[in-house]
Amino acid sequence: AAAAEAAVEVGGVKIAREDVVKEDDPTNNVPDTIYSKIGLQLHRRDNHPLGILKNTIYDYFDKSFPGQFVKFDDLCPLVSTKQNFDDVLVPADHVSRSYNDTYYVDSQTVLRCHTSAHQAELLREGHRHFLVIGDVYRRDSIDSTHYPVFHQMEGFRVFSPDDWSGSGMDGTAYAATDLKKTLEGLATHLFGAVEMRWVDTYFPFTNPSFELEIYFQGDWLEVLGCGVTEQEILKSNGRTDHVAWAFGLGLERLAMVLFDIPDIRLFWSNDQRFTSQFSKGKLGVKFKPFSKFPPCYKDMSFWINDEFTENNLCEVVRGIAGDLVEEVKLIDNFTNKKGMTSHCYRIAYRSMERSLTDEEINDMQWNVREEVKSKLRVELR
Ligand code: FA5
Ligand code: MG
């Protein structure tokens, strides 16, 4: 508890628990489990898979664009709603702005949900080529590839008319071509020969927008989003008549593939048997699971109410079980003649590090049931 009370420092900003967790403030939805992750900065540990991956991506940009890209890996994750949403043209009614999807410290301040939150300020500071690496926060479901804190790397490159004038392309086509070439080069740098494909998509801040998928172990895996930056963002931040590309990639997704890490919770493990397997500069050393403990499944059924959301349920479970919960999955869903809807969720409990006792699991499940009743006000069946 003492450690949790002490302020953490990120990029010169001191953050105390009471700055982030405000239990009696209805405009705040940040739990202690999330506060306790601030300042850990896994991406700044050279012997951690995320740090190793970050440094390998740095190497690629240093080699491809010597001296051009400025790197920021220590920007404060507390940002204004303006930075996180307005500055990147996220519409007023977009779901990502909801309390169900984003951690709000107060009505004007959030834990950034993407590194795109820093695009505008860095442009205004005059940067034209930059990488931003940081922890990002999202209220989300629970399974082996989703965690409420993960890490992104943002890339941004600005072109001036001189860059594309001789190319026979307009600025947008020129930037899109350069973007795809740059990211295909990065994928090759990380994976060697690999099958990849581009998928058209939508982001409020880019047009056109794409996702890159990599074929890995029989499946297409989305690893990043990117596109040609909306003119309005450049204009508002001192780059009229310029064109830019941007990308945002998920470090955990790439690291899980590169190091064979089967569950996203492992990135947070302090267990020596995990941490000792990775060392500075060694990309792609395959993780050897040190043990495999059986999961324990507990089902829970209840009548939902209008406010019920799966993200809220997951927050309750995470608050009690922490990293001992592996998955929360809807397994049954029906509406009766009276119009009442019942959900049955299956919770998988499993430690990455040891076997759990029956007593421990029953305690957690009992507490989950109590809190689901009291906090979500649903009727257990
Ligand atoms: C974004 O966050 C955009 N800001 C990316 C972007 C930047 C687009 C600049 C265009 C220009 P998205 O929500 O799809 O997009 O997340 C980007 C990547 O983060 C995903 O491709 C995925 O690799 C990773 N990611 C997303 N959600 C999770 C999660 N819950 N756990 C782990 N990785 C995730
Ligand atoms: Mg996406």
Side-chain angles (χ1 to χ4, degrees), residues 173-193:
Y174 184 82
T177 306
D178 186 80
L179 170 66
K180 287 184 168 177
K181 196 185 83 197
T182 301
L183 291 172
E184 285 167 10
L186 173 62
T188 306
H189 180 74
L190 295 176
F191 292 95

Side-chain angles (χ1 to χ4, degrees), residues 257-277:
V257 173
L258 286 163
F259 295 93
D260 262 350
I261 295 174
D263 191 293
I264 199 163
R265 290 174 293 166
L266 280 163
F267 290 102
W268 301 92
S269 174
N270 290 319
D271 192 311
Q272 281 276 319
R273 293 168 296 177
F274 177 78
T275 56
S276 67
Q277 293 194 33

